[in-house]
Amino acid sequence: MRSQFGYGAKSQIKRIYQQIVLFGFMAVLVVACNHSSVSETSTSTNCRRVDHLAGETCIPLNPQRPVVLGVPTMANAIFLGVKPVGTILYFDQKAPPPYLEGKLEGIQIVGTGNQPNLEKILILEPDLIIAMNDSELSYDQMSQIAPTVVDNWYGYSDWKEHFNFVAEVLGKTEESKQVWAHYEQRIQELRQALGDNYQDIDVSVVRVCCNNLASDVKNSFSGIILNDVGLRRPPSQDSAPGGLVIFSEELIAEKLDGDIIFAIVDDDDDSEKAFEQLKNDPLWNKLEAVQEGKVYPVNLATWRGGNPLAADAVIDDLFKYLVAGQES
């Protein structure tokens, strides 16, 4: 028995099994590809062509089962009244940011970060895939499963443009006008509530994460919201590629000097530990905002959300700390 079913034989059986599984998966993929091609050809009158980063694609007029490969894309779809059947996440599924609590039910997770799982996507039988250009799957792979569009995502400084792209793809351009009207209304309400009290105040933003310090500058997601509200930023936090400036602890005084500091901290032990260590740094404690007790911790996934749902939550934070705090 040993000679027949030893290590070598087991390895060979394992390889044969893996080949069978792979062959079966590829066969399903080919069928999906052929079905997609036939469907697009035979129902061209029931789809519309959309230009995107990877070319032109005929997509369903009213997608019912979209898979989205980005948290901003997912939140955009939800805000437009479309619940995706699948998404990738950048955070722990069990601990979503507050602005997404209760909104992920019924959405299957098909990967993390920028690494979607092709097999999981295929099982969901989507009628549309919305991807960003940082996905590790190729356009050819995704388009074999369902009509696929790719947005040219340059980072969170493009969050407004990405929302408009998603609205166009989902056929929700009219609904998108209502979303932007809501956003503008909230911005104006906050401007009115702030009045002239912050006209000469510098608002600084520090991100405590990933073994370094950084600042979300003017062209970041939160930076754009602060700018729309009319809040002034320190000169050291002007625009930068990707909306983020990373710096060493020695530059705390130079990069974080401001009358108010919003500290963006992730909901994990490492970030919270790093923030506690920062509080003990002599350079940090020399900052005027620290000495005046005007350092406000906020949620990282929210302040880097890159979508109108998260923007609503950021505006809530600004009301909480700058308006309600001012009145108390």
Side-chain angles (χ1 to χ4, degrees), residues 6 12 17 31 43 66 72 95 122 169 189 201 212 241 246 286 293 308 323:
Q12 184 177 6
Y17 174 77
V31 171
T43 62
L122 182 63
V169 170
E189 289 173 351
I201 298 296
N212 58 44
I246 298 174
K286 288 182 180 180
V323 179

Side-chain angles (χ1 to χ4, degrees), residues 155-157 159 203-210 212-227 231-247 255-256 260-265 298-306 314:
Y156 290 98
S157 56
W159 70 276
V203 177
S204 183
V205 180
V206 59
R207 178 184 175 185
V208 185
C209 175
C210 315
N212 58 44
L213 295 175
S215 178
D216 281 16
V217 293
K218 279 187 178 180
N219 63 329
S220 67
F221 169 61
S222 59
I224 290 170
I225 297 172
L226 293 172
N227 186 67
L231 293 169
R232 196 173 73 183
R233 303 295 298 279
S236 61
Q237 295 179 17
D238 206 343
S239 299
L244 186 70
V245 171
I246 298 174
F247 58 90
K255 296 296 184 181
L256 296 181
I260 291 172
I261 295 176
F262 284 100
I264 303 178
V265 185
V298 291
N299 179 262
L300 183 144
T302 299
W303 274 58
R304 293 182 63 81
V314 171

Side-chain angles (χ1 to χ4, degrees), residues 25 34 45 49 62 64 93 124 173 188 206 234 262 283 288 300 309 313 323:
F25 175 70
N34 291 336
T45 56
R49 297 195 173 274
N62 185 25
Q64 298 296 310
Q93 182 182 358
L124 290 175
T173 52
Q188 293 306 320
V206 59
F262 284 100
L283 294 176
E288 181 179 348
L300 183 144
L309 264 178
V323 179

Side-chain angles (χ1 to χ4, degrees), residues 311-327:
D312 231 13
V314 171
I315 293 171
D316 286 342
D317 281 340
L318 295 177
F319 267 107
K320 174 182 178 180
Y321 292 115
L322 302 185
V323 179
Q326 170 185 290
E327 295 171 351

Side-chain angles (χ1 to χ4, degrees), residues 19-35:
Q19 289 172 357
I20 292 172
V21 172
L22 179 60
F23 177 79
F25 175 70
M26 293 305 297
V28 173
L29 191 59
V30 169
V31 171
C33 176
N34 291 336
H35 173 75

Side-chain angles (χ1 to χ4, degrees), residues 46-192:
N46 296 323
C47 69
R48 56 191 173 86
R49 297 195 173 274
V50 172
D51 291 322
H52 56 98
L53 180 63
E56 183 185 67
T57 299
C58 199
I59 65 174
L61 295 177
N62 185 25
Q64 298 296 310
R65 298 183 59 81
V67 164
V68 295
L69 304 183
V71 173
T73 316
M74 175 190 63
N76 289 341
I78 290 173
F79 213 175
L80 290 165
V82 178
K83 176 167 280 192
V85 295
T87 187
I88 62 174
L89 292 183
Y90 308 145
F91 45 79
D92 187 347
Q93 182 182 358
K94 296 179 181 179
Y99 79 91
L100 283 176
E101 285 182 2
K103 294 181 172 64
L104 298 179
E105 295 177 5
I107 303 177
Q108 296 297 312
I109 310 305
V110 298
T112 57
N114 61 347
Q115 297 177 326
N117 185 302
L118 198 65
E119 296 176 64
K120 289 183 178 180
I121 296 173
L122 182 63
I123 291 171
L124 290 175
E125 299 182 349
D127 56 5
L128 173 67
I129 298 173
I130 306 177
M132 295 188 287
N133 59 343
D134 62 350
S135 172
E136 291 194 358
L137 292 181
S138 73
Y139 176 73
D140 289 340
Q141 288 176 307
M142 292 185 288
S143 59
Q144 286 175 0
I145 298 175
T148 300
V149 294
V150 184
D151 191 24
N152 201 3
W153 173 265
Y154 283 111
Y156 290 98
S157 56
D158 292 336
W159 70 276
K160 292 183 178 181
E161 292 78 7
H162 183 62
F163 175 82
N164 290 335
F165 174 81
V166 174
E168 178 190 359
V169 170
L170 294 176
K172 298 290 185 180
T173 52
E174 287 302 313
E175 289 84 349
S176 72
K177 294 176 183 178
Q178 299 175 20
V179 171
W180 288 127
H182 170 77
Y183 174 78
E184 184 60 29
Q185 179 183 352
R186 296 219 64 204
I187 290 292
Q188 293 306 320
E189 289 173 351
L190 181 53
R191 276 179 170 266
Q192 185 175 0

